[in-house]
mmCIF file of all heavy atoms in Angstrom:
data_model
loop_
_atom_site.group_PDB
_atom_site.id
_atom_site.type_symbol
_atom_site.label_atom_id
_atom_site.label_comp_id
_atom_site.label_asym_id
_atom_site.label_seq_id
_atom_site.Cartn_x
_atom_site.Cartn_y
_atom_site.Cartn_z
ATOM 1 N N PRO A 1 1.013 -0.010 21.299
ATOM 2 C CA PRO A 1 1.075 1.481 21.237
ATOM 3 C C PRO A 1 -0.051 2.097 20.392
ATOM 4 O O PRO A 1 -0.433 1.368 19.448
ATOM 5 C CB PRO A 1 2.442 1.689 20.542
ATOM 6 C CG PRO A 1 2.929 0.479 20.025
ATOM 7 C CD PRO A 1 2.240 -0.604 20.576
ATOM 8 N N ALA A 18 -2.364 5.186 -4.631
ATOM 9 C CA ALA A 18 -3.294 5.559 -5.688
ATOM 10 C C ALA A 18 -3.228 4.600 -6.843
ATOM 11 O O ALA A 18 -4.320 4.390 -7.463
ATOM 12 C CB ALA A 18 -2.925 7.059 -6.108
ATOM 13 N N ARG A 31 -15.868 -1.754 -4.259
ATOM 14 C CA ARG A 31 -15.281 -1.480 -2.853
ATOM 15 C C ARG A 31 -13.895 -1.870 -2.698
ATOM 16 O O ARG A 31 -13.430 -2.867 -3.426
ATOM 17 C CB ARG A 31 -16.212 -2.331 -1.813
ATOM 18 C CG ARG A 31 -17.561 -1.934 -1.793
ATOM 19 C CD ARG A 31 -18.249 -2.635 -0.686
ATOM 20 N NE ARG A 31 -19.640 -2.216 -0.590
ATOM 21 C CZ ARG A 31 -20.569 -3.036 -0.846
ATOM 22 N NH1 ARG A 31 -20.421 -4.277 -1.215
ATOM 23 N NH2 ARG A 31 -21.904 -2.616 -0.750
ATOM 24 N N ILE A 46 0.475 -4.011 5.722
ATOM 25 C CA ILE A 46 -0.664 -3.237 5.225
ATOM 26 C C ILE A 46 -1.390 -4.182 4.074
ATOM 27 O O ILE A 46 -0.663 -4.625 3.169
ATOM 28 C CB ILE A 46 -0.182 -2.004 4.596
ATOM 29 C CG1 ILE A 46 0.446 -1.108 5.632
ATOM 30 C CG2 ILE A 46 -1.449 -1.208 3.970
ATOM 31 C CD1 ILE A 46 1.193 0.121 5.035
ATOM 32 N N ASP A 51 -12.957 -5.681 -4.577
ATOM 33 C CA ASP A 51 -13.878 -6.745 -4.933
ATOM 34 C C ASP A 51 -14.056 -6.763 -6.488
ATOM 35 O O ASP A 51 -15.148 -7.049 -6.916
ATOM 36 C CB ASP A 51 -15.269 -6.508 -4.258
ATOM 37 C CG ASP A 51 -15.991 -5.225 -4.639
ATOM 38 O OD1 ASP A 51 -15.259 -4.343 -5.373
ATOM 39 O OD2 ASP A 51 -17.099 -5.094 -4.381
ATOM 40 N N ILE A 55 -7.060 -10.593 -11.197
ATOM 41 C CA ILE A 55 -6.100 -10.432 -12.161
ATOM 42 C C ILE A 55 -6.000 -11.618 -13.061
ATOM 43 O O ILE A 55 -5.958 -12.783 -12.529
ATOM 44 C CB ILE A 55 -4.693 -10.309 -11.422
ATOM 45 C CG1 ILE A 55 -4.698 -9.051 -10.464
ATOM 46 C CG2 ILE A 55 -3.523 -10.174 -12.366
ATOM 47 C CD1 ILE A 55 -3.575 -9.034 -9.507
ATOM 48 N N LEU A 63 3.532 -9.867 -13.026
ATOM 49 C CA LEU A 63 2.795 -8.807 -12.557
ATOM 50 C C LEU A 63 3.600 -7.583 -12.216
ATOM 51 O O LEU A 63 3.141 -6.381 -12.431
ATOM 52 C CB LEU A 63 1.859 -9.140 -11.399
ATOM 53 C CG LEU A 63 0.698 -8.212 -10.978
ATOM 54 C CD1 LEU A 63 -0.254 -8.007 -12.208
ATOM 55 C CD2 LEU A 63 0.014 -8.814 -9.791
ATOM 56 N N PRO A 66 8.405 -4.697 -15.201
ATOM 57 C CA PRO A 66 8.056 -3.492 -16.083
ATOM 58 C C PRO A 66 7.792 -3.974 -17.532
ATOM 59 O O PRO A 66 8.456 -4.903 -18.044
ATOM 60 C CB PRO A 66 9.348 -2.715 -16.166
ATOM 61 C CG PRO A 66 10.138 -3.115 -14.912
ATOM 62 C CD PRO A 66 9.693 -4.502 -14.620
ATOM 63 N N GLY A 75 -2.646 -0.677 -21.331
ATOM 64 C CA GLY A 75 -1.842 -0.447 -20.155
ATOM 65 C C GLY A 75 -0.300 -0.631 -20.487
ATOM 66 O O GLY A 75 0.031 -1.269 -21.481
ATOM 67 N N ALA A 81 4.950 -2.263 -11.279
ATOM 68 C CA ALA A 81 6.417 -2.244 -11.178
ATOM 69 C C ALA A 81 6.879 -1.163 -10.299
ATOM 70 O O ALA A 81 7.804 -1.176 -9.486
ATOM 71 C CB ALA A 81 7.066 -2.297 -12.521
ATOM 72 N N GLU A 85 8.665 -0.919 -6.588
ATOM 73 C CA GLU A 85 9.945 -0.148 -6.384
ATOM 74 C C GLU A 85 9.795 0.873 -5.173
ATOM 75 O O GLU A 85 10.790 1.076 -4.437
ATOM 76 C CB GLU A 85 10.540 0.474 -7.650
ATOM 77 C CG GLU A 85 11.071 -0.517 -8.633
ATOM 78 C CD GLU A 85 12.117 -1.500 -8.032
ATOM 79 O OE1 GLU A 85 13.043 -0.956 -7.517
ATOM 80 O OE2 GLU A 85 11.951 -2.653 -8.137
ATOM 81 N N PRO A 111 9.546 -2.906 7.132
ATOM 82 C CA PRO A 111 10.442 -3.361 8.259
ATOM 83 C C PRO A 111 10.240 -2.492 9.479
ATOM 84 O O PRO A 111 9.731 -1.386 9.375
ATOM 85 C CB PRO A 111 11.792 -3.177 7.602
ATOM 86 C CG PRO A 111 11.689 -2.108 6.616
ATOM 87 C CD PRO A 111 10.311 -2.183 5.987
ATOM 88 N N LYS A 120 5.382 11.784 19.230
ATOM 89 C CA LYS A 120 5.704 13.271 19.028
ATOM 90 C C LYS A 120 6.367 13.616 17.596
ATOM 91 O O LYS A 120 6.559 14.699 17.331
ATOM 92 C CB LYS A 120 6.832 13.671 20.054
ATOM 93 C CG LYS A 120 6.228 13.541 21.483
ATOM 94 C CD LYS A 120 7.281 13.877 22.504
ATOM 95 C CE LYS A 120 6.681 13.819 23.794
ATOM 96 N NZ LYS A 120 7.743 13.889 24.931
ATOM 97 N N ARG A 126 8.482 17.136 3.018
ATOM 98 C CA ARG A 126 8.984 16.062 2.096
ATOM 99 C C ARG A 126 8.683 14.703 2.496
ATOM 100 O O ARG A 126 8.253 13.847 1.737
ATOM 101 C CB ARG A 126 10.488 16.213 1.920
ATOM 102 C CG ARG A 126 11.109 15.212 0.983
ATOM 103 C CD ARG A 126 10.703 15.437 -0.406
ATOM 104 N NE ARG A 126 11.376 14.496 -1.270
ATOM 105 C CZ ARG A 126 10.784 13.814 -2.243
ATOM 106 N NH1 ARG A 126 9.492 14.022 -2.496
ATOM 107 N NH2 ARG A 126 11.463 12.983 -2.942
ATOM 108 N N SER A 138 -12.261 -6.053 12.056
ATOM 109 C CA SER A 138 -11.658 -7.267 11.854
ATOM 110 C C SER A 138 -10.505 -7.604 12.865
ATOM 111 O O SER A 138 -9.835 -8.660 12.887
ATOM 112 C CB SER A 138 -10.983 -7.441 10.415
ATOM 113 O OG SER A 138 -9.985 -6.357 10.381
ATOM 114 N N ASP A 148 -0.339 16.255 9.895
ATOM 115 C CA ASP A 148 0.414 17.265 10.731
ATOM 116 C C ASP A 148 1.677 17.705 9.875
ATOM 117 O O ASP A 148 2.368 16.867 9.429
ATOM 118 C CB ASP A 148 0.885 16.607 12.066
ATOM 119 C CG ASP A 148 -0.262 16.373 12.941
ATOM 120 O OD1 ASP A 148 -1.405 16.904 12.686
ATOM 121 O OD2 ASP A 148 -0.133 15.535 13.954
#
Side-chain angles (χ1 to χ4, degrees):
R31 294 187 180 112
I46 303 168
D51 67 350
I55 301 168
L63 196 59
E85 288 307 308
K120 295 179 183 175
R126 178 71 178 131
S138 67
D148 292 343

